[in-house]
RNA sequence: GCGAGAGUAGCCGAGUCGGUCAAAGGCGCUGGAUUUAGGGUCCAGUCGUGUAGACGUUCGCAGGUUCGAAUCCUGCCUCUCGCACCA
């Protein structure tokens, strides 16, 4: 927009128009094919397009773009591809909710994500959702200037990709890394599906605990007691039953058991046949005798605290080692009942006497079962016994075993010899599915697992991690921990979108398992779409990715060309993702690469991002705490969004988006623009030009180094604020009336290129304004020119800068209007002192050393003072400057004489420059090297 | 609870093989300048004290090591991420 005086006015509209023009020039500019150049291949975790992009997503894709643009300018052949992960079930849930008119979901999509009504109407089809948002993602990513090769875009449910996944898993299956196994899962009988923690209304932190049933023989039936401590069977004194609960007799796997109704229900979910044949009140069983071969006969005692919803609803009592049992028994005995029962110790543990439970309870001063300290005491006793306890002689052949060993051994014995079964339950209740129904533990025995627990596979991944380039390096420990911690991973699901398991079509590969080696697929994605999917048999992929076999179905020349493209790009250089994926995706993909690809095609590096905040709070679509990326681009412009996201924190740090801080970023871009446009016309030469040119070389080096290390924020600091502050000083130092020399044009040329990776739209435009042909996106990255480095000039300016600051700070304090300033320059002997101190091994003894010198000694106290002052000064100067001063001492007189008119203009006062020894003023003695004494009158 | 990481001025953040540190840079704020239409540009200040470039007190809290610690050690507190069949 142009105002009435013909000046350009920057508004949202003009920015958008300018950006659209540049985006047009880029439309196909980043399509990348193998070339003579060295390749640089980066990938980012692809998005799941179930909603609109927000500014948090923005950073995830902008930071890699900055890196891609940087290396492209450095002359590499850069590939930055993108695809969409649509595997899984979330969109199915979304589409169902929309179809049934769920208000919350519809509001989210219509009002927050701004989906048009006619599109929303189609969202009852899950595919419509991912298609809509995939297109929106591409549009917004282009809008933000991401230099992506869009020819390679795909989704994870296209037939070709499914064929690729089938190939991947045919290898894993052949290697026996995919095996069938039984696994307890959280399960909702209402939804008839396993439920993940995110599917739960309540109890999402509940863990599945594996109990063992210890079966006591009663009169005609068995009573199982669930326990985590089967070794304590030797110390059982009684059973606890809740007299107020109705139990059931049920035939379970052909044997009659007595359990709570809840337990019967749970058992039926855990691969047991259950048929209820009778009901009995708990009270009716109180007093009856039961027996177990390892404990002998014991009595059933009443205990109202027994929860029918825990375990079997009947508990075995070991009062010597379980504080709850001890207290319960004591309470009964204090009423005069069952006084013949005495605790039976079976474990000895250091730090406790014969009956640990009793001791711990008494030590803690606990009076009854309701004492809140009970859990703590229980934990204490269990912990002590588990880590240090040993079994006593009454345990027969198990005597002397550590508890941790005996526990497993007895569990096995129980299962093998005494008809015990494993029983799974949650450690906390309740666990409620989102549908409102209660969730249970269910055993799925036809589930497919990836064998991440395989120690050999783990070791291979550990080895890979140790040779990976990781940014930041601190995440290495977390990767190693994750590898250690991983167990077998259930890699299939019954419902959702995705690829069917080729050898078991009842199952689909779940999303984290079909997204581990797709970085290889990108390399051929745009060309494989020409091959009919039915021709894409595993041997075709073997040929492309592994160089093996002799596939007949596809033209060999095409396959050879695909293979050579794959080999050109692979292995990838860096993979980018947020840190929350370390514990699954990022580690999984290492496992899979290791299993599928040869040594020379393994991942080389990863960059792990921090998380994003919006106005200090976590970004969350469901809570409405998001700012859409497209809205941000509309309001501030794409470059502003990019610069803000890059500048607020380094990639691995968490960042916070605050709208009120973003607008100042735009002013900075405007300042750059106006500077560069001024710079176009600059000509001639001034005295400070060589200084500016020298500084520019340093900024180039610093910016380059920062980007090589993925320090995008640091790069911005150097490339933008660093150069800007140099320019401020330069302009201040220009002779009156000068607008600057031709060096400004050099700076503009370099500046635009240094910032091009971060604010490419603006720089593309400015590059043209500077008269260059072609895209700045492919311009040559600035190289520092050593010939333009001028340490002497930089040192001289440094001296002037420091002196100006000193003068300013004095003037600020003293309440007088200066009429004259005298600078007294340090005598040469003080430079000698400076040299000695600066180069001394031990600065504490330099005084002694110096005083050995005749001429120094003759200066007496003055010399001693000078040593102290100089030492302090040296400590306050950058070490590099100190070295510089020593090796190349400045000619202070010449420097200040040359700067005389500048100083007088700055302070509007007359200056005099004199050697300190020629001044009689008391302050003249303060003169130090690089720090003249200042006398203001 | 377990594992990984982090705590620096109003905010974001440099700095962490001990002395370059009252602590870069940015933002915000304050004051000033400006033929400044506008959220513009420029200059200065922004822990406290101070009539000379200084001094005092600071880097989550409490101790310790050292001539000297934001930086090293110990304990504690707080925050972030992950803890699985889910993107």
């Amino acid at each position: 927009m142009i105002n009435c005086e013909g000046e350009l006015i920057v508004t949202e509209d003009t920015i958008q128009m300018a950006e659209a023009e540049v985006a047009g020039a880029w439309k196909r500019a980043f399509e990348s094919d193998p070339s003579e150049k060295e390749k640089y291949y980066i990938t980012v975790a692809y998005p799941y397009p179930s909603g609109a992009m927000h500014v948090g997503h923005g950073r995830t894709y902008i930071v890699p773009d900055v890196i891609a643009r940087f290396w492209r300018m450095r002359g590499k052949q850069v590939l930055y591809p993108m695809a969409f992960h649509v595997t899984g079930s979330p969109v199915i849930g979304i589409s169902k909710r929309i179809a049934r008119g769920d208000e919350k979901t519809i509001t989210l999509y219509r009002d927050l994500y701004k989906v048009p009504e006619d599109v929303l109407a189609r969202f009852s089809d899950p595919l419509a959702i991912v298609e809509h948002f995939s297109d929106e993602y591409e549009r917004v990513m282009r809008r933000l200037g991401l230099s992506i090769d869009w020819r390679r875009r795909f989704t994870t449910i296209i037939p070709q990709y499914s064929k690729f996944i089938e190939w991947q898993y045919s290898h894993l299956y052949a290697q026996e890394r995919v095996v069938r196994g039984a696994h307890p899962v959280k399960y909702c009988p209402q939804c008839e599906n396993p439920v993940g923690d995110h599917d739960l209304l309540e109890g999402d932190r509940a863990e599945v605990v594996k109990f063992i049933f210890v079966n006591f023989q009663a009169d005609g039936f068995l009573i199982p007691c669930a326990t985590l401590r089967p070794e304590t069977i030797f110390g059982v004194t009684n059973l606890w039953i809740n007299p107020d609960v109705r139990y059931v007799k049920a035939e379970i796997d052909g044997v009659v058991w007595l359990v709570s109704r809840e337990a019967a229900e749970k058992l039926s979910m855990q691969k047991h046949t259950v048929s209820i044949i009778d009901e009995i009140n708990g009270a009716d069983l109180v007093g009856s005798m039961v027996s177990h071969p390892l404990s002998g006969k014991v009595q059933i005692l009443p205990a109202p605290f027994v929860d029918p919803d825990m375990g079997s609803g009947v508990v075995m009592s070991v009062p010597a080692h379980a504080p709850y049992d001890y207290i319960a028994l004591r309470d009964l005995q204090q009423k005069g009942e069952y006084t013949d029962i005495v605790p039976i110790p079976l474990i000895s543990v250091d730090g406790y006497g014969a009956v640990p439970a009793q001791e711990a309870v008494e030590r803690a001063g606990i009076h009854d079962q309701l004492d809140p300290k009970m859990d703590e005491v229980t934990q204490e006793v269990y912990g002590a016994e588990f880590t240090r306890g040993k079994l006593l002689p009454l345990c027969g052949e198990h005597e002397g075993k550590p508890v941790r060993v005996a526990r497993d051994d007895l569990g096995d014995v129980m299962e093998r010899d005494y008809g015990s079964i494993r029983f799974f339950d949650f450690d906390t209740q309740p666990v409620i599915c989102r549908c409102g129904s209660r969730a249970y533990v269910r055993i799925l025995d036809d589930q497919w697992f990836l064998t991440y627990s395989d120690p050999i596979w783990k070791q291979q991944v550990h080895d890979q991690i140790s040779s990976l380039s990781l940014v930041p390096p601190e995440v290495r420990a977390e990767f190693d921990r994750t590898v250690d911690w991983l167990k077998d991973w259930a890699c299939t699901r019954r419902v959702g979108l995705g690829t069917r398991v080729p050898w078991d079509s009842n199952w689909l590969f779940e999303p984290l398992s079909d997204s581990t080696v797709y970085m290889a697929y990108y390399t051929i994605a745009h060309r494989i779409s020409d091959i009919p999917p039915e021709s894409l048999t595993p041997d075709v992929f073997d040929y492309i990715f592994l160089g093996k076999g002799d596939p007949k179905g596809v033209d060999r020349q095409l396959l050879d060309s695909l293979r050579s493209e794959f080999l050109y790009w692979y292995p990838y250089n860096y993979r980018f993702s947020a840190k929350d994926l370390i514990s699954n995706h990022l580690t999984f993909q290492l496992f899979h690469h290791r299993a599928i690809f040869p040594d020379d095609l393994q991942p080389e590096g990863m960059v792990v991002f921090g998380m994003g905040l919006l106005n200090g709070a976590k970004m969350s679509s469901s809570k409405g705490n998001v700012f859409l990326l497209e809205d941000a681009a509309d309001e501030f412009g794409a470059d502003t969004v990019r610069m803000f996201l890059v500048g607020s924190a380094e990639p691995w740090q968490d960042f916070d988006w605050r709208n009120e801080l973003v607008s100042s970023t735009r002013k900075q871009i405007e300042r750059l623009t106006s500077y560069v446009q001024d710079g176009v016309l600059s000509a001639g030469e001034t005295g400070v030009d060589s200084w500016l040119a020298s500084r520019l070389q340093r900024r180039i080096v610093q910016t380059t180094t920062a980007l090589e290390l993925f320090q995008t924020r640091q790069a911005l600091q150097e490339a933008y604020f660093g150069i800007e502050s140099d320019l401020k000083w330069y302009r201040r130092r220009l002779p009156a009336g000068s607008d600057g020399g031709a060096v400004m044009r050099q700076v503009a040329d370099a500046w635009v290129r240094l910032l091009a990776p971060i604010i490419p739209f603006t720089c593309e435009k400015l590059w043209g304004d500077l008269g260059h042909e072609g895209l700045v996106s492919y311009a040559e990255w600035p190289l520092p020119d050593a010939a333009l480095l001028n340490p002497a000039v930089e040192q001289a300016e440094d001296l002037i800068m420091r002196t100006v600051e000193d003068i300013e700070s004095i003037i600020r304090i003293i309440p007088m209007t200066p009429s004259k300033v005298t600078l007294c320059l340090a005598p040469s002997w003080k430079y000698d002192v400076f040299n000695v101190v600066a180069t001394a091994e031990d600065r504490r003894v330099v005084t002694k050393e110096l005083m050995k010198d005749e001429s120094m000694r003759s200066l007496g106290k003055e010399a001693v003072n000078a040593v102290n002052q100089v030492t302090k000064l040296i400590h306050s100067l950058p070490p590099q400057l100190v070295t510089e001063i020593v090796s190349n001492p400045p000619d202070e007189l010449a420097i200040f004489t040359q700067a005389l008119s500048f100083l007088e203009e700055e302070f509007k006062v007359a200056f005099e420059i004199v050697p300190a020894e020629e001044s009689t003023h008391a302050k003249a003695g303060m003169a130090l090297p690089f720090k003249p004494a200042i006398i203001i009158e």
Side-chain angles (χ1 to χ4, degrees):
Chain A
M1 195 190 295
I2 308 288
N3 72 0
C4 50
E5 287 154 54
E7 290 169 334
L8 184 71
I9 306 297
V10 180
T11 67
E12 283 79 2
D13 286 347
T14 50
I15 289 177
Q16 282 189 35
M17 278 163 56
E19 287 178 353
E21 195 181 321
V22 172
W26 286 344
K27 198 156 178 37
R28 304 197 54 184
F30 305 111
E31 295 177 358
S32 191
D33 294 312
S35 75
E36 296 301 306
K37 291 193 264 182
E38 196 182 333
K39 65 92 186 180
Y40 191 81
Y41 177 27
I42 58 172
T43 66
V44 192
Y46 48 23
Y48 184 80
S50 63
M53 278 179 101
H54 55 65
V55 291
H57 298 121
R59 188 176 75 149
T60 304
Y61 299 103
I62 287 166
V63 170
D65 185 61
V66 172
I67 300 302
R69 288 176 171 278
F70 167 65
W71 286 107
R72 201 175 281 123
M73 293 175 73
R74 292 287 296 277
K76 301 254 178 134
Q77 187 69 27
V78 173
L79 176 57
Y80 179 21
M82 188 58 58
F84 298 102
H85 194 205
V86 303
T87 314
S89 50
V91 284
I92 294 181
I94 293 164
S95 66
K96 279 186 185 156
R97 271 176 265 146
I98 287 177
R100 88 166 102 95
D102 180 81
E103 212 34 65
K104 206 170 155 232
T105 309
I106 290 174
T107 306
L108 178 67
Y109 279 77
R110 188 185 51 211
D111 300 342
L112 188 60
Y113 295 160
K114 303 191 182 81
V115 178
E117 285 292 346
D118 58 320
V119 177
L120 194 62
R122 298 203 308 270
F123 275 14
S124 51
D125 175 8
L127 287 178
I129 300 176
V130 293
E131 277 161 15
H132 171 78
F133 286 112
S134 299
D135 287 344
E136 179 166 307
Y137 262 72
E138 178 174 340
R139 191 183 77 237
V140 176
M141 285 174 161
R142 281 185 181 275
R143 175 78 189 280
L144 269 295
L146 304 188
S147 57
I148 289 167
D149 180 351
W150 284 107
R151 295 171 306 167
R152 298 170 192 263
R153 166 182 161 175
F154 63 89
T155 73
T156 54
I157 52 169
I158 60 168
Q160 287 87 349
Y161 188 79
S162 282
K163 289 291 177 183
F164 170 73
I165 295 300
E166 287 178 15
W167 164 76
Q168 175 190 354
Y169 274 85
S170 72
H171 279 276
L172 295 170
Y173 189 55
Q175 294 169 14
E176 296 181 358
R177 296 189 197 276
V178 186
V179 299
R180 187 164 247 182
H183 192 63
V185 295
K186 291 177 186 170
Y187 187 87
C188 173
Q190 189 71 33
C191 309
E192 296 183 39
N193 232 334
V195 282
D197 282 345
H198 56 281
D199 297 323
L200 295 174
L201 219 52
E202 237 181 292
D204 60 327
R205 300 212 46 189
E207 282 186 56
V208 174
V209 183
K210 190 179 184 182
F211 294 92
I212 186 159
F213 272 180
V214 177
N215 297 339
F216 288 83
Q217 182 68 52
D219 188 11
F221 53 90
L222 291 174
I223 299 181
C225 298
T227 181
L228 293 167
R229 308 181 68 190
E231 77 283 6
T232 59
I233 182 67
F234 298 109
V236 172
T237 58
N238 61 283
L239 263 44
W240 298 116
I241 200 161
N242 190 328
D244 305 322
V245 166
R246 263 182 95 70
Y247 289 79
V248 297
K249 261 191 203 170
E251 193 173 304
I252 295 173
D253 301 337
V255 181
V256 180
W257 286 9
L258 179 114
V259 292
S260 67
R261 181 169 290 285
E262 290 85 346
E265 173 79 22
K266 291 173 190 170
L267 282 164
S268 70
M269 304 261 195
Q270 296 178 20
K271 292 281 161 189
H272 299 288
T273 60
V274 177
S275 62
I276 292 171
I277 47 186
D278 198 4
E279 293 193 10
I280 300 181
N281 285 325
D284 297 339
L285 290 159
V286 170
S288 57
M289 299 300 286
V290 297
S291 67
H292 189 281
L294 295 178
S295 70
K297 282 196 167 190
V298 295
Q299 202 175 1
I300 300 180
L301 270 48
F305 61 84
V306 171
D307 182 355
D309 204 7
M310 281 294 280
S312 63
V314 188
V315 179
M316 66 186 212
S317 167
V318 188
H321 300 287
Y324 273 106
D325 293 341
Y326 173 78
I327 287 277
L329 184 62
R330 193 183 70 178
D331 288 356
L332 281 176
Q333 291 179 336
Q334 277 171 355
K335 286 190 267 174
E337 299 176 67
Y338 309 107
T339 48
D340 55 322
I341 298 178
V342 290
I344 305 171
L346 71 132
I347 295 165
S348 72
V349 56
D350 289 348
Y352 291 88
V355 186
Q358 176 179 9
E359 208 176 313
V361 163
E362 285 169 2
R363 220 185 275 164
I366 288 170
H367 297 294
D368 58 57
Q369 301 167 27
L370 302 174
D371 195 304
K373 287 200 291 283
M374 278 304 287
D375 282 337
E376 203 179 302
V377 168
T378 300
Q379 208 50 51
E380 172 202 328
V381 173
Y382 281 25
E385 293 183 349
F386 181 70
T387 51
R388 314 195 294 273
K390 286 198 169 51
L391 268 60
L392 292 169
L394 102 140
C395 304
E397 58 175 304
H398 302 284
E399 176 187 353
K401 280 186 186 172
V403 167
R404 63 175 78 214
V405 175
R407 184 164 301 175
D408 292 341
D409 289 357
L410 262 303
D412 294 343
V413 167
M414 293 281 182
E415 263 187 303
R416 193 181 64 224
D417 300 339
Y418 303 115
S420 287
I421 59 161
R422 301 288 176 176
F423 175 79
F424 299 92
D425 207 348
F426 298 124
D427 60 347
T428 57
Q429 296 280 14
V431 179
I432 309 290
C433 175
R434 241 184 228 173
C435 76
S437 159
R438 181 168 170 184
Y440 291 88
V441 179
R442 181 171 180 132
I443 307 283
L444 295 180
D445 63 356
D446 50 356
Q447 171 65 271
W448 292 95
F449 289 88
L450 281 161
T451 59
Y452 293 141
S453 65
D454 174 6
I456 297 168
W457 204 2
K458 283 188 183 209
Q459 189 52 51
Q460 290 174 329
V461 174
H462 276 304
D463 293 346
Q464 184 63 29
I465 289 169
S466 69
S467 65
L468 275 173
S469 162
L470 289 175
V471 182
E474 298 87 61
V475 298
R476 180 163 272 117
E478 211 179 334
F479 274 104
D480 277 322
R481 284 289 182 173
T482 298
V483 173
D484 290 338
W485 161 86
L486 273 174
K487 297 192 254 224
D488 287 351
W489 181 266
C491 62
T492 54
R493 288 215 71 174
R494 292 287 189 196
V495 295
L497 303 175
T499 301
R500 297 215 165 265
V501 175
W503 61 85
D504 186 354
S505 62
N506 293 323
W507 292 99
L508 297 144
F509 290 112
E510 63 82 36
L512 284 170
S513 301
D514 83 340
S515 56
T516 57
V517 293
Y518 67 93
M519 312 70 155
Y521 187 85
Y522 277 132
T523 66
I524 56 164
H526 56 313
R527 304 175 63 195
I528 201 168
S529 49
D530 296 341
I531 304 176
E534 58 273 18
S535 306
L536 291 172
T537 47
D539 59 334
V540 170
F541 287 109
D542 272 351
Y543 192 84
I544 297 171
F545 292 123
L546 304 175
K548 285 187 198 156
D550 182 24
K552 299 288 185 214
V554 182
D555 175 60
R556 184 58 58 94
Q557 236 183 330
L558 174 59
L559 289 186
D560 284 333
S561 139
L562 292 178
R563 169 138 184 90
S564 86
E565 172 136 18
F566 167 67
L567 287 177
Y568 177 74
W569 297 115
Y570 238 62
Y572 69 72
N573 295 70
Y574 280 93
R575 178 149 185 84
F576 294 67
S577 167
K579 66 180 172 192
D580 53 346
L581 294 190
I582 293 177
S583 68
N584 48 55
H585 166 74
L586 288 176
T587 304
F588 289 4
Q589 54 105 21
L590 293 176
F591 272 91
H592 285 249
H593 272 89
R594 199 61 261 183
I596 306 280
F597 294 107
D599 287 353
D600 56 337
L601 299 180
Q602 296 301 310
E604 291 186 346
M606 288 192 254
V607 181
V608 177
F609 291 144
M611 311 302 287
L613 300 175
L614 177 61
N615 300 320
K618 211 177 285 186
M619 274 188 236
S620 161
S621 309
S622 56
K623 291 188 187 120
N625 190 239
V626 289
F627 186 49
L628 297 192
L629 191 53
E630 192 165 31
D631 292 346
D634 285 345
E635 189 172 340
F636 302 105
D639 275 343
T640 304
V641 170
R642 292 174 64 106
M643 182 158 157
F644 179 80
L645 286 171
V646 163
S648 68
E650 294 292 4
W652 46 90
Q653 294 168 329
D654 295 349
F655 77 98
D656 191 7
W657 177 283
R658 290 176 188 269
N659 271 6
E660 70 270 23
L661 301 184
V662 180
S663 50
S664 62
T665 302
R666 195 161 97 187
K667 291 179 211 158
Q668 289 154 359
I669 296 176
E670 286 166 14
R671 264 183 273 154
L672 168 79
T673 303
S674 76
Y675 170 84
V676 170
Q677 283 163 351
D678 291 350
V680 176
L681 302 172
S682 63
E685 202 175 337
T686 79
V688 272
D689 289 5
S690 60
W691 176 82
L692 184 62
S694 184
R695 295 290 289 182
L696 177 64
Q697 307 315 307
R698 297 194 190 280
R699 299 299 182 187
I700 291 171
V701 171
Q702 296 296 331
T703 306
T704 306
T705 307
L707 284 174
E708 284 172 346
L709 298 171
F710 302 92
Q711 295 169 351
T712 50
R713 173 195 157 92
Q714 181 62 27
L716 182 62
Q717 291 277 335
E718 286 293 335
Y720 184 82
F721 299 106
I723 290 177
E724 189 185 43
S725 88
D726 290 345
L727 281 167
K728 277 184 187 170
W729 178 254
Y730 173 76
R731 286 173 156 169
R732 195 170 167 186
R733 288 282 280 123
L734 282 176
S738 169
D739 286 335
V743 67
M744 286 181 68
R745 168 67 201 229
Q746 287 170 35
V747 171
D749 265 13
W751 206 8
V752 167
R753 284 175 292 156
L754 290 174
L755 288 169
I758 297 169
I759 46 171
F761 290 98
T762 303
C763 293
E764 206 63 82
K765 167 81 168 51
L766 292 175
W767 191 241
D769 292 350
L770 286 167
H772 295 285
E773 295 292 324
L775 295 173
V776 77
S777 302
Y778 281 94
E780 193 186 338
W781 185 254
L783 286 173
D785 182 350
L788 293 175
L789 279 177
N790 195 331
V793 168
E794 289 194 49
Q795 191 197 52
E797 285 305 309
D798 205 344
L799 176 58
I800 293 167
M801 243 180 263
R802 285 167 184 275
T803 306
V804 166
E805 279 167 24
D806 275 356
I807 298 169
E808 280 172 343
S809 70
I810 296 167
I811 290 177
R812 207 175 303 131
I813 295 163
I814 58 172
M816 60 183 276
T817 311
S819 58
K820 182 188 176 194
V821 176
T822 310
L823 299 180
C824 304
L825 310 182
S828 67
W829 69 265
K830 285 194 180 175
Y831 265 92
D832 296 340
V833 172
F834 189 98
N835 285 353
V836 172
V837 175
T839 54
E841 291 280 329
D842 185 347
R843 283 172 191 166
R844 279 172 286 175
V845 300
V846 286
T847 312
K848 218 192 308 181
E849 290 295 312
L850 267 170
M851 284 305 135
K852 287 178 185 161
D853 186 297
E854 191 69 32
S855 60
M856 286 292 169
R857 216 164 34 220
S858 68
L859 288 162
K861 195 155 182 253
E862 203 183 348
V864 179
N865 285 343
V867 172
N868 291 336
Q869 288 162 356
V870 165
T871 307
K872 200 168 172 193
L873 173 68
I874 285 174
H875 277 310
S876 76
L877 295 173
Q880 231 189 334
L881 179 58
V882 173
T883 319
E884 186 64 31
I885 292 169
V886 170
S887 61
N888 216 343
D891 181 348
E892 294 192 21
L893 185 61
I895 291 167
F896 284 116
T897 305
Q898 260 174 32
L900 195 61
S901 60
F902 163 69
L903 293 170
E904 292 186 333
E905 187 60 31
E906 275 288 302
F907 293 98
K908 308 285 183 223
V909 70
F911 270 67
E912 189 185 358
I913 319 292
V914 296
E917 54 265 49
E918 288 174 19
S919 171
T920 53
H921 198 282
K923 292 205 175 292
M926 283 182 70
L928 293 174
F930 225 69
K931 196 173 176 64
I934 296 160
I935 302 163
I936 296 174
E937 294 160 284

